[in-house]
Amino acid sequence: MFRGFFVKTISFVGYTVQYGCIAHCAFEYIGEFVSCSGPSMEPTITNHDVVFSERVSCHLWDIVIAKSPFDPKMNICKRVIGLEGDKVCTSGPSDVFKPHTYVPRGHVWLEGDNLRNSTDSRSYGPIPYALIRGRVCLKLWPPHSFGILAESPNDGRIL
C-alpha cells in the first residue's frame, strides 16, 4: 500500500516538474501575459488591460514592455518612436519650440501614447535594447477590446 502511494507521488512530482519547466521556457523565451496600469498609453491601453507580450521581434511603432531605467523591478509599457540613428522630436505636444535628438546606437526612443501624462524617453532619454522585454502583440482583456492594438495617435515624432 505504501509503495503504491510512493510511486504515484513520485510520478505526480515528475509530471509537475516537467510541465513547470515547459511553462517556464514558454514564458521566458516565447512571451508572457502582462497587466498594464497607469494612464501613459491611453487610449490604446487603459488601466487594468491585460496584454500578451512576445519576445521575438521589435520594430518602429510597436508597443513594448521594458524594464524601467529608474527602477529595474518595475516594467513600463511604451511605444517605440525611434530606433538607433533616427532623429526624434523631444518636445511635449504643447511646446512652441520643437527640439530634436538622435537615438544612439544600441538604443530606442520610447514614448507613451498619452504625451501629456507619460514619463518616457523625453524624461530619461533613449533606453538600451537590452531593457526591452517584449513586444505587445495582442490585447486580451477586457473582452470587448480583444485583438490587435491600434496605431499610434502621435504620428510625426520622427524627423
Side-chain angles (χ1 to χ4, degrees):
M1 183 171 136
F2 180 71
R3 182 180 174 152
F5 175 74
F6 182 72
V7 169
K8 286 183 180 181
T9 303
I10 292 298
S11 177
F12 174 75
V13 169
Y15 282 122
T16 303
V17 169
Q18 217 172 13
Y19 290 121
C21 289
I22 290 169
H24 168 74
C25 289
F27 288 130
E28 188 65 30
Y29 299 108
I30 297 173
E32 65 183 334
F33 300 101
V34 180
S35 177
C36 299
S37 62
S40 72
M41 284 302 295
E42 289 177 352
T44 309
I45 298 174
T46 58
N47 219 8
H48 306 298
D49 281 358
V50 176
V51 297
F52 180 74
S53 168
E54 60 94 1
R55 301 193 192 280
V56 180
S57 66
C58 174
H59 305 317
L60 192 62
W61 303 113
D62 283 345
I63 296 174
V64 296
I65 304 294
K67 288 290 182 186
S68 169
F70 295 132
D71 181 6
K73 294 179 182 176
M74 188 173 84
N75 290 328
I76 57 174
C77 181
K78 306 290 179 196
R79 191 176 296 272
V80 177
I81 301 299
L83 301 171
E84 59 186 22
D86 286 343
K87 183 179 179 183
V88 294
C89 180
T90 60
S91 65
S94 60
D95 294 347
V96 175
F97 297 105
K98 305 291 184 191
H100 66 275
T101 189
Y102 287 95
V103 181
R105 185 179 192 141
H107 290 71
V108 293
W109 189 269
L110 302 179
E111 290 183 1
D113 284 353
N114 185 354
L115 291 176
R116 297 185 196 287
N117 199 2
S118 178
T119 303
D120 47 36
S121 287
R122 293 172 296 146
S123 303
Y124 46 72
I127 70 160
Y129 277 115
L131 291 182
I132 295 178
R133 298 198 30 90
R135 176 183 70 96
V136 175
C137 58
L138 193 64
K139 187 189 284 191
L140 303 172
W141 191 263
H144 68 274
S145 60
F146 177 86
I148 297 172
L149 298 168
E151 296 294 321
S152 173
N154 304 315
D155 292 339
R157 305 285 296 161
I158 297 180
L159 303 173

